[in-house]
């Protein structure tokens, strides 16, 4: 466990002060959920193209070539061919980036006219690869800072609701002005995944018309729950888990951990008794040769792991000459959905499949680091959270490609 510091004492004082203020104001967890999620001002601001990290047809981080390098087992490398953005696709991808604000003060800063380099780095790593299959829309939003995560959960939810109010407004604006009848893929990671939960619950769960437009939801690094062994219920009322090859109108979810891990349920968003955390393996879902059990629990090689530059990896990617840019590895890792000792906890188990003599061996540091320890304190065991989207990147892009009309 990390040694107590002045910062942690400061955090405790913040937590206590905010809790006292909330109690004095008569706030409760129910009040946090009751905050308004839309406003005319929020809706109107998304008419400004500067409020979008990515919009189709312009030069931004979703349309630019990542200049990734493919690394091979024999030590050679080759440039990954540039993607051709699908600017005329019949499919739109609506992407929500993860927590990029590392401000230790709880809040919801507006990213507009500020340094958005961290947001753009996350978006490039997680969303740009999908632009070959769909038009990518990525709104800015007033996300909760990392400092909000040390607060009591019902207080943190107040910051999350501010973020969600932006996402719902952005989606409503997108739907009215950009969609033009296209099918939709929803993509989000971490806080972005939590925003997708709010979006699906508020818009898709309640609208048969929108559910008819949904091709696929991808929710990574956030607990999404269903009754044990079921496709429907729990987090969502009417949007099911994907279990069949080519299935549409459904979602996948997963959180990555090293093989052999035994994570417990998330301490902030615990999985209720009788339910399980959703884990769908992007590498087995569309294989028609597999049995239902093999699709649910089988291990498969991941066909296109995309690692962000080491400098943006929070210490998970080995820092050397090979990793100064985006790097792609095929068949270097495998993934399988597994169940921890706590039967509520299903997780995506990652295993390295490289020989000790392979120069790529150890390019991802699979042992715990300081970020893991911090995450353990804040929300429980986070595993390989930073790389949730990166391990099965090509497999997820292939899921979208297979569902295009």
């Amino acid at each position: 466990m990390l040694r107590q510091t002045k910062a942690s004492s400061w955090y405790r004082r913040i937590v206590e002060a905010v809790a006292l203020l909330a109690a004095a104001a008569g706030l409760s967890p129910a009040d946090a959920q009751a905050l308004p999620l839309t406003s005319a001002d929020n809706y109107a601001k998304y008419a400004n193209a500067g409020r979008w990290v990515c919009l189709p047809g312009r030069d931004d981080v979703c349309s630019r070539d990542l200049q990734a390098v493919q690394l091979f087992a024999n030590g050679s490398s080759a440039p990954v061919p540039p993607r051709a953005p699908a600017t005329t696709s019949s499919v739109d991808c609506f992407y929500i980036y993860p927590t990029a604000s590392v401000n230790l003060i709880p809040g919801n800063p507006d990213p507009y006219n500020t340094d958005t380099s961290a947001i753009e780095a996350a978006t490039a790593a997680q969303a740009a690869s999908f632009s070959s299959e769909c038009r990518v829309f990525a709104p800015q939003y007033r996300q909760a800072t990392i400092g909000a995560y040390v607060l009591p959960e019902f207080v943190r939810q107040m910051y999350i609701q501010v973020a969600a109010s932006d996402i719902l407004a952005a989606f409503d604006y997108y739907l009215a002005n950009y969609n033009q009848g296209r099918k939709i893929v929803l993509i989000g990671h971490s806080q972005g995944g939590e925003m997708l939960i709010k979006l699906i619950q508020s818009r898709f769960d309640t609208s048969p018309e929108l559910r008819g437009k949904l091709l696929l939801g991808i929710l990574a690094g956030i607990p999404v729950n269903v009754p044990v062994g079921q496709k429907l219920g729990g987090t969502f009322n009417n949007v099911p888990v994907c279990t069949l090859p080519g299935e549409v109108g459904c979602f996948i979810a997963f959180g990555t951990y090293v093989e052999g891990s035994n994570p417990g349920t998330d301490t902030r968003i615990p999985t209720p008794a009788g339910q399980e955390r959703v884990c769908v393996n992007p590498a087995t879902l569309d294989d028609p040769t597999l049995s239902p059990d093999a699709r649910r629990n089988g291990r498969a090689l991941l066909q296109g792991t995309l690692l962000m530059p080491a400098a943006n990896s929070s210490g998970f990617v080995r820092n050397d000459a090979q990793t100064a840019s985006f790097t792609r590895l095929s068949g270097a890792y495998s993934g399988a959905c597994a169940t921890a000792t706590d039967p509520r906890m299903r997780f995506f188990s990652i295993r390295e499949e490289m020989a000790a003599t392979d120069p790529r061996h150890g390019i991802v540091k699979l042992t715990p680091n300081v970020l893991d320890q911090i995450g353990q304190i804040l929300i429980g065991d986070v595993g390989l959270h930073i790389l949730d989207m990166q391990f099965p990147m090509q497999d997820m892009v292939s899921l979208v490609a297979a569902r295009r009309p």
Side-chain angles (χ1 to χ4, degrees):
M1 181 176 290
L2 293 178
R3 189 169 53 193
Q4 182 175 342
T5 64
K6 291 182 179 179
S8 64
S9 298
W10 177 81
Y11 278 148
R12 267 205 318 279
R13 290 198 296 273
I14 290 290
V15 169
E16 292 165 358
V18 172
L20 286 171
L21 287 172
L27 295 175
S28 69
D31 294 314
Q33 296 299 323
L35 290 177
L37 292 179
T38 58
S39 75
D41 288 343
N42 262 8
Y43 179 91
K45 74 184 182 185
Y46 287 101
N48 180 352
R51 289 286 182 179
W52 296 84
V53 185
C54 293
L55 280 176
R58 76 176 188 188
D59 178 28
D60 55 38
V61 293
C62 292
S63 63
R64 293 174 202 145
D65 179 21
L66 291 176
Q67 298 184 327
V69 175
Q70 179 90 30
L71 302 180
F72 300 102
N74 63 6
S76 64
S77 63
V80 175
R83 313 171 318 276
T87 55
T88 60
S89 174
S90 59
V91 177
D92 287 345
C93 286
F94 191 86
Y95 164 78
I96 311 174
Y97 53 84
T99 305
S101 176
V102 294
N103 193 330
L104 299 180
I105 305 297
N108 294 93
D110 189 341
Y112 189 63
N113 284 335
T114 63
D115 180 8
T116 58
S117 56
I119 292 172
E120 291 178 355
T123 302
Q126 296 185 349
S129 295
F130 290 93
S131 67
S132 62
E133 304 301 331
C134 55
R135 306 191 313 157
V136 180
F137 293 82
Q140 292 182 351
Y141 67 106
R142 293 170 295 165
Q143 65 176 202
T145 65
I146 197 68
Y149 284 76
V150 303
L151 301 175
E153 178 59 11
F154 82 90
V155 181
R156 184 188 76 92
Q157 280 296 324
M158 296 177 185
Y159 294 98
I160 290 297
Q161 294 289 54
V162 172
S165 71
D166 279 1
I167 291 302
L168 291 181
F171 181 79
D172 290 345
Y173 187 88
Y174 150 78
L175 198 63
N177 296 278
Y178 291 127
N179 176 260
Q180 298 176 334
R182 294 177 178 84
K183 297 291 187 179
I184 301 172
V185 175
L186 302 173
I187 306 168
H189 175 243
S190 192
Q191 187 171 163
E194 190 167 7
M195 294 299 102
L196 277 191
I197 289 175
K198 304 285 189 186
L199 176 60
I200 292 172
Q201 290 172 334
S202 299
R203 297 294 184 268
F204 290 81
D205 244 354
T206 59
S207 170
E209 180 182 0
L210 270 182
R211 291 197 299 275
K213 294 173 70 70
L214 179 64
L215 278 188
L216 180 67
I218 299 173
L219 295 88
I222 191 72
V224 187
N225 305 315
V226 291
V228 175
Q230 301 300 307
K231 293 182 59 169
L232 195 61
T235 300
F236 305 128
N237 293 323
N238 295 302
V239 180
V241 179
C242 299
T243 60
L244 299 172
E247 188 176 9
V248 299
C250 54
F251 74 93
I252 68 171
F254 56 89
T256 55
Y257 295 78
V258 178
E259 183 187 38
S261 298
N262 189 28
T265 186
D266 194 295
T267 56
R268 282 198 171 275
I269 314 174
T271 300
Q275 297 186 20
E276 63 184 9
R277 184 168 173 176
V278 174
C279 180
V280 177
N281 186 343
T284 60
L285 175 61
D286 272 4
D287 188 339
T289 69
L290 297 179
S291 67
D293 180 71
R295 277 196 296 275
R296 175 175 162 86
N297 299 306
R299 181 169 291 276
L301 289 176
L302 303 177
Q303 295 307 310
T305 294
L306 179 71
L307 300 178
M308 68 281 280
N312 297 334
S313 74
S314 300
F316 278 95
V317 177
R318 183 179 68 205
N319 190 2
D320 58 24
Q322 284 186 317
T323 59
S325 62
F326 282 92
T327 52
R328 180 171 168 174
L329 301 84
S330 297
Y333 299 93
S334 65
C337 287
T339 303
T341 300
D342 183 339
R344 296 173 298 172
M345 186 60 185
R346 296 264 297 165
F347 64 97
F348 196 37
S349 165
I350 298 296
R351 183 172 75 201
E352 185 184 286
E353 300 290 354
M354 294 176 279
T357 55
D358 190 324
R360 304 171 302 170
H361 170 62
I363 194 170
V364 172
K365 301 173 185 178
L366 297 178
T367 54
N369 61 22
V370 172
L371 186 67
D372 297 322
Q373 295 174 305
I374 294 172
Q376 182 75 42
I377 291 172
L378 296 180
I379 60 172
D381 188 356
V382 296
L384 299 168
H385 184 68
I386 295 295
L387 302 177
D388 283 329
M389 293 281 290
Q390 308 314 126
F391 280 110
M393 179 59 70
Q394 185 54 50
D395 298 279
M396 294 188 298
V397 172
S398 294
L399 293 182
V400 176
R403 284 157 178 77
R404 287 177 60 176

